[in-house]
Structures are given as structure tokens and as C-alpha cells.
């Protein structure tokens, strides 16, 4: 045997070490138990009756999640406040009602108000007399007679405590997504769901009995922490129950249920009248979820991906019985392979291993930036639209219910438009389209309106073209009216598209991330979304300083996201990746086809058993061995982690 042939044999038998610090995916060929969407689930009845029942059980808690997510709109709403004079002879200092602003998931009141001192507007007197007031009368417009702000008089010098209370729920949610995402990959989705429900009941009900603002804020932190665990585990369970054709539609139904909770919240507040009763009514229905301990099983997909075949066998038998499947129709011998694999030890993976991958970490980071940008810029558009509430009394945004239902209506319209868009263009195409719309709306609002305000006053309508005259007649010749109309239009379009970007980024991540680390990957994207939402109360706490820069930064992020979205793969109708190796090979298809596709097909068609490496001709005799040692690109992908091939792994 020549030296070259011996070197090839040695290369084949040696263990391949990680290259450039990256981890190597598993080299063993996957069996039928890892082809869950292609083999296991179709054998168990596909999207059968039992799976549909479990999906419905994930929708019902989504209504309660919607209640909790939008509760800040009512518990911490800023009321109209009036200073009560100490004596009858003292001049009345009337506080003009401050405007209410509502973000995508929380209300962000602006506490600045106008005070008239002896009938004249005086800024110095406004601040001094406003903060010298000892007694207040409040008027809420949210259906409640009393909330947290009115109970502890969180106005004037105490107004900052309202923002801290809002931080608490959001910061708790961010930490909850990160922590429970890791726990869901290590201990399972079912334990995370049950533990989150138990602690949510404890902390959520205790919030209603808070005796001061620090206690309220602390308990709201833990409430947000547990709420994140419930939302995350339900989202993952829903995704992993469905076949590829059903994943998006079932997820969108859950999104509509959450929005239904948002729409029902004003009615619940009007019925409860007191914030403590409202908080208890929101939390108490979660008691029904304690029954999930017995009726909701662990995710079969996660058990198979982590090689917990003993538990998988019992759950598969339970599904076969519920769906009335005939086990004798097991033509692929899945049950036989499961029986033979019972001796294998479980293999669990942590999200930190994502750092050692070549492509998977890039996909997740891109989606994290998308979700952060979507939620962050949503507040910018909403703030811009609500600004006209203060300066233009004739606008439609004149009270709490108009503001609230405008936001909810835009969210519902966004979800309704998302369904056909994703059905026609796929996940990547839909995300790209909505991100482009968001960027255009943001740039036009920041740039075009300034130009209109600058140059419209210099236009002489009598000397311009008739078409320009007609335009100014339609939109109004006054620059303020023109800016108002365009700003409201761009704000509505921007909120519409940014809401779609946020939802689709989260769903996209759930499909790209492998099952073994899906909890951690989805937790990262949801935590990024929480950071985007957190920018809104931060801006309010700083009295809107730097708001314009805030909008510019997120507008620049949308341009970066448009470029990065092109790097993502398309996941429509594709099986979910199960292992890190699958996630590594889940890459974007090349824009241009290979120059010689015929040669690539010959490489793919050649079987491993037909290759005889001992007969490889020496290099000096001409010809040489096949490229990459005669291995197909898909085999190299599993063995070395190289993922720039256009073929799909055998598990798909």
C-alpha cells in the first residue's frame, strides 16, 4: 500500500478534532427516532385528535397571560389629579389632566401637567405649588375607582415610583425567560410549566395584598419572572406538538387569544372597580392549570432528542391509545428501534454550547436583534402618534379607551396581515418585508416631516403648479397640520409592521433552534424583546430627554436587520432541527445554483460502502482521491461542522 493510501486510511479512522475552536456535531448517522416529523409523528397519527386537544390546552392559558401582560395599563395608569386646598381662602391650584400614553404592552403615563397660578401660566409656580400640595383628588378613566397610583398618591415627587413598578414586571420577565429557558432544556418543558404556575399563584395573589410600593414592586418582579416561565413553556410545547404544516397557524391562534385578553381587560376593570380585586381575578384562573400536572405530558420531541427512551416509550404508547393507532402498521419498525435504544443514557445540552457552533449562533443573534428592534421602535411610533393628543385637541386620540383600543386594533390587524404574508412569502420573506416597511416608515417620519415643516412655509401656493396646490388643499396648507397628518399615518404603519416583526422573529427562532436547546434559544429572543419594551419606561423616567436620538438609533437598527435577515434560512414546511448537528446544517440556500450540478449529484449518489480508500491512486500518479476524502457534503457537515453546503442533512 502506498504512503498516500495509508494516509487516507489513517485520516478515516482518526477522531476529527474541532477546527478553529468550533464544536463538531455527532458523526453517527441518525436513526428513525431522530426523524420525528418524518417518521415518529406520522406513525403516531400525525396531527391527530390527542395532539389537537393538547394544543387547545395551550391556548386557554394564553388568555390569562394576556390579562397579566396588559395589567399595567390599569394598575399603574396615571389619573387626572387635582390639589385640594387646605382652606377655603387659599388659591386653588388645578392640575390639568396629564396625557396618557400606551405602549405595546404597558401604559407609560407622562406626569407633566400644567398649573395655573392666579389665572396665569407660570412654570416656576407650577413646580413649587404642585409639589407643596398635601392632599389630592384623583379621577381615573380606566374603569377602576382606585389603582396603585391613587392608593399611595404616586404623583409629583413620588411619580418615579410608578416607573420603577413598571420596570419590575419587565425586568422579572427578562430574567424569567433566560432562567426558565435553560431549565426547560435541562429538566423538561412540563416541570417548568408546573413550577411557574405554582409560584405565579403565590406571588400574583400576594401582589393584591401589598401594603406599600416597595412590596408591590418586588412582588411584581417575581410575578413577571413566573409569567415568563408559563409563556415560554407553553410556546415550546405548542411548537413541538405540531407537524410542519400546522406550526404557524396554531401559534397565530394563540397570539389572537392573547390579544383577546387585551381587548377584555377594560371590561374586567370596569366590573372589578378596585385594583386589588382585579389583580386577584387575573391570577385565580391559573388554578385550573394545576390539573396540567396529570393531563399534560412531557414533550415527546424533547425526550427523543435527549435520548430519554424509557419515558418516550410510555408516552408513545399513551398517544397510540388516544389516537387509536394500530401498532402493527409500524412498517419502519420504530417501536423495535425504540426498544433496542432503551439502554442508552440521556444526553442533555445547554444553550452555552451554541457559542461553539458556526452558523446556529449567528441565526439566533440576528433574531435577537430583530425582536429587540421591533419592540423598541414600536414605542417610538406609539409615542409619536400620542404626542398629537397633547398638541391637537381635535385628534381622535382624546381619551384612555380610544388610545387603548387603537393600540389593540393595530396589533390585531398586524396579526391578521401576518398570516397571508407568511403563507405566500415564507418566514424569511415575510420578516424581510415587514422590516423594510418599518424602516421606511421610520425614515420617512424622521426625515420627510422635517423637510415638509422646513419648506412648506416658503411655498407660495399661487405660483406653484395646480397639482401641488391640490395637494396642499387636501392635506392642509399649514405645516403643523401637514406634519400631524403624515406623522399619524407613518406611526400607524410603523406600529403595524413592527408588531409583525416582533412576533415573527420569536416564531422564527423557535423553528431554527434545535430541540435540545430550543428553550434557551427562545428565551434569548424573548429576553431581547423584553429589553426592547424596557426602553419605553426608561425614556419616561428621563422625562423624554433624548427621545429623538432613541428613535434614530432604532431606525439605524432596522437597516442593519434588513441585511442580516438575508442570511437566515427558510423554515417553511421544514422539519424542526433536533440536535446541534441539525441546527448547524440548517443554513440559507445559495442565491446562485452551482456551476456544475451534475458533479455534485454524482458525489451525493455515491454510497460510503462503495468507496475503497485503500485503492486511492497516489497524488504523483495523477488523478488523486476525491475531494474531501471522497465524502459527501452532508457527511462532512455531520463530521466536521462545515455548514456552507446547500444540501440538507439526512435527518431532514
Amino acid at each position: 500500500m502506498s504512503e498516500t493510501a495509508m494516509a487516507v486510511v489513517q485520516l478515516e479512522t482518526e477522531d476529527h478534532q474541532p477546527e478553529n475552536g468550533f464544536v463538531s456535531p455527532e458523526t453517527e448517522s441518525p436513526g428513525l427516532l431522530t426523524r420525528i416529523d418524518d417518521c415518529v409523528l406520522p406513525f403516531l397519527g400525525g396531527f391527530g385528535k390527542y395532539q389537537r386537544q393538547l394544543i387547545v390546552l395551550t391556548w386557554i392559558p394564553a388568555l390569562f397571560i394576556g390579562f397579566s401582560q396588559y395589567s399595567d395599563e390599569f394598575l399603574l395608569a396615571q389619573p387626572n389629579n387635582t390639589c385640594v386646598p387646605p382652606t377655603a381662602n387659599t388659591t386653588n391650584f388645578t392640575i390639568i389632566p396629564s396625557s396618557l400614553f400606551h405602549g405595546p404592552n404597558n401604559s407609560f403615563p407622562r406626569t407633566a401637567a400644567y398649573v395655573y397660578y392666579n389665572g396665569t401660566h407660570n412654570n416656576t409656580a407650577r413646580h413649587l405649588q404642585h409639589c407643596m400640595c398635601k392632599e389630592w383628588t384623583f379621577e381615573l378613566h380606566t374603569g377602576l375607582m382606585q389603582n396603585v397610583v391613587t392608593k399611595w398618591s404616586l404623583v409629583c415627587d413620588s411619580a418615579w415610583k410608578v416607573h420603577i413598578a413598571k420596570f419590575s414586571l419587565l425586568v422579572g420577565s427578562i430574567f424569567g425567560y433566560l432562567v426558565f429557558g435553560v431549565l426547560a432544556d435541562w429538566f423538561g418543558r412540563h416541570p417548568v410549566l408546573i413550577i411557574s404556575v405554582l409560584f405565579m399563584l403565590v406571588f400574583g395573589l400576594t401582589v393584591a395584598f401589598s401594603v406599600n410600593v416597595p412590596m408591590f414592586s418586588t412582588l411584581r418582579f417575581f410575578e413577571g419572572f413566573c409569567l415568563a416561565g408559563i409563556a415560554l413553556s407553553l410556546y415550546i410545547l405548542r411548537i413541538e406538538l405540531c407537524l410542519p404544516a400546522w406550526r404557524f397557524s396554531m401559534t397565530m391562534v394563540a397570539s389572537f387569544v392573547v390579544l383577546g385578553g387585551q381587548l377584555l381587560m377594560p371590561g374586567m376593570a370596569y366590573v372589578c372597580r378596585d385594583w386589588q380585586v382585579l389583580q386577584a381575578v387575573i391570577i385565580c384562573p391559573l388554578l385550573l392549570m394545576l390539573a396540567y400536572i396529570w393531563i399534560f405530558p412531557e414533550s415527546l420531541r424533547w425526550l427523543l432528542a435527549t435520548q430519554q427512551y424509557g419515558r418516550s416509550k410510555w408516552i408513545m404508547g399513551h398517544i397510540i391509545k388516544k389516537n387509536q393507532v394500530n401498532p402493527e402498521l409500524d412498517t419502519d419498525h420504530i417501536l423495535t428501534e425504540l426498544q433496542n435504544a432503551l439502554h442508552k443514557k440521556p444526553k442533555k445540552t445547554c444553550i452555552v454550547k451554541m457559542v461553539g457552533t458556526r452558523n446556529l449562533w449567528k441565526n439566533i443573534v440576528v433574531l435577537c436583534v430583530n425582536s429587540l428592534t421591533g419592540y423598541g421602535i414600536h414605542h417610538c411610533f406609539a409615542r409619536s402618534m400620542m404626542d398629537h393628543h397633547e398638541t391637537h385637541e381635535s385628534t381622535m386620540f382624546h381619551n384612555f379607551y380610544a388610545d387603548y383600543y387603537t393600540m389593540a386594533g393595530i396589533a390585531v390587524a398586524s396579526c391578521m396581515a401576518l398570516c397571508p404574508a407568511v403563507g405566500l412569502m415564507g418566514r424569511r420573506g415575510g420578516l424581510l418585508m415587514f422590516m423594510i416597511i418599518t424602516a421606511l416608515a421610520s425614515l420617512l417620519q424622521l426625515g420627510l416631516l422635517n423637510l415638509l415643516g422646513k419648506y412648506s412655509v416658503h411655498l407660495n401656493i399661487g405660483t406653484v403648479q395646480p397639482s401641488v396646490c391640490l395637494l396642499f388643499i387636501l392635506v392642509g396648507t399649514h405645516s403643523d397640520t401637514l406634519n400631524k397628518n403624515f406623522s399619524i399615518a407613518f406611526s400607524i404603519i410603523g406600529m403595524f409592521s413592527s408588531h409583525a416583526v416582533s412576533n415573527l422573529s420569536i416564531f422564527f427562532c423557535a423553528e431554527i433552534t434545535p430541540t435540545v436547546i430550543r428553550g434557551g434559544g427562545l428565551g434569548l429572543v424573548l429576553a431581547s424583546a423584553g429589553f426592547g419594551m424596557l426602553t419605553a419606561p426608561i425614556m419616561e423616567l428621563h422625562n423624554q430627554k433624548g427621545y429623538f436620538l432613541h428613535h434614530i438609533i432604532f431606525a439605524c437598527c432596522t437597516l442593519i436587520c434588513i441585511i442580516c435577515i438575508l442570511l437566515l434560512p427558510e423554515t417553511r414546511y421544514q422539519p424542526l432541527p433536533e440536535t446541534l448537528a441539525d441546527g448547524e446544517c440548517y443554513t440559507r440556500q445559495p442565491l446562485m445554483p452551482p456551476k456544475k450540478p451534475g458533479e455534485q449529484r454524482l458525489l451525493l449518489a455515491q454510497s460510503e460502502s462503495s468507496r475503497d480508500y485503500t485503492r486511492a491512486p497516489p497524488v504523483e500518479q495523477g488523478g488523486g482521491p476525491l475531494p474531501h476524502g471522497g465524502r459527501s457534503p452532508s457527511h462532512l457537515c455531520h463530521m466536521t461542522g462545515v455548514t456552507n453546503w446547500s444540501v440538507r442533512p439526512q435527518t431532514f
Side-chain angles (χ1 to χ4, degrees), residues 132-318:
M132 289 173 60
C133 187
K134 301 298 182 181
E135 185 179 356
W136 302 90
T137 59
F138 299 101
E139 182 184 2
L140 283 170
H141 299 280
T142 60
L144 295 174
M145 298 297 294
Q146 185 188 57
N147 69 353
V148 175
V149 179
T150 61
K151 181 178 178 62
W152 291 301
S153 299
L154 303 182
V155 294
C156 194
D157 292 339
S158 299
W160 62 273
K161 298 180 181 179
V162 177
H163 303 291
I164 298 300
K166 291 175 182 177
F167 291 161
S168 300
L169 188 69
L170 287 175
V171 174
S173 298
I174 292 172
F175 280 99
Y177 287 131
L178 296 175
V179 173
F180 283 119
V182 175
L183 295 180
D185 291 331
W186 200 256
F187 298 102
R189 288 70 163 115
H190 186 262
V192 168
L193 176 63
I194 301 304
I195 292 175
S196 300
V197 171
L198 289 174
F199 283 100
M200 181 71 172
L201 290 171
V202 174
F203 292 114
L205 292 176
T206 310
V207 167
F209 300 96
S210 300
V211 296
N212 51 40
V213 179
M215 180 179 178
F216 176 85
S217 301
T218 303
L219 293 174
R220 287 286 281 181
F221 172 87
F222 290 105
E223 181 185 353
F225 188 87
C226 299
L227 181 66
I230 298 175
L232 177 69
S233 55
L234 288 175
Y235 202 104
I236 299 174
L237 286 169
R238 190 182 304 116
I239 289 287
E240 295 181 348
L241 279 168
C242 298
L243 289 172
W246 293 90
R247 289 196 299 257
F248 183 72
S249 58
M250 297 298 101
T251 302
M252 290 309 300
V253 171
S255 298
F256 282 113
V257 175
V258 173
L259 292 175
Q262 180 183 5
L263 295 173
L264 292 176
M265 271 299 292
M268 293 187 60
Y270 183 80
V271 172
C272 295
R273 308 300 288 175
D274 188 85
W275 73 272
Q276 293 174 305
V277 178
L278 178 63
Q279 176 68 17
V281 170
I282 290 173
I283 300 299
C284 283
L286 294 176
L287 287 169
L288 300 175
M289 292 189 66
L290 295 179
Y292 285 26
I293 299 175
W294 302 279
I295 64 177
F296 211 106
E298 181 57 87
S299 171
L300 176 63
R301 189 186 298 270
W302 177 76
L303 291 175
L304 292 174
T306 54
Q307 297 186 5
Q308 301 183 62
Y309 296 123
R311 297 174 63 186
S312 301
K313 181 179 179 181
W314 183 89
I315 293 179
M316 289 176 66
H318 184 67

Side-chain angles (χ1 to χ4, degrees), residues 121-140:
H121 181 260
N122 188 303
N123 290 331
T124 304
R126 176 183 65 183
H127 177 74
L128 294 176
Q129 299 297 336
H130 182 64
C131 295
M132 289 173 60
C133 187
K134 301 298 182 181
E135 185 179 356
W136 302 90
T137 59
F138 299 101
E139 182 184 2
L140 283 170

Side-chain angles (χ1 to χ4, degrees), residues 43-54 57 294-297 314-327:
F43 164 67
L44 298 176
F47 194 61
K49 179 181 178 182
Y50 183 62
Q51 283 83 356
R52 291 195 296 268
Q53 292 175 350
L54 295 179
L57 291 178
W294 302 279
I295 64 177
F296 211 106
W314 183 89
I315 293 179
M316 289 176 66
H318 184 67
I319 297 175
I320 288 174
K321 181 180 178 181
K322 289 290 184 179
N323 285 337
Q324 299 180 353
V325 176
N326 187 2

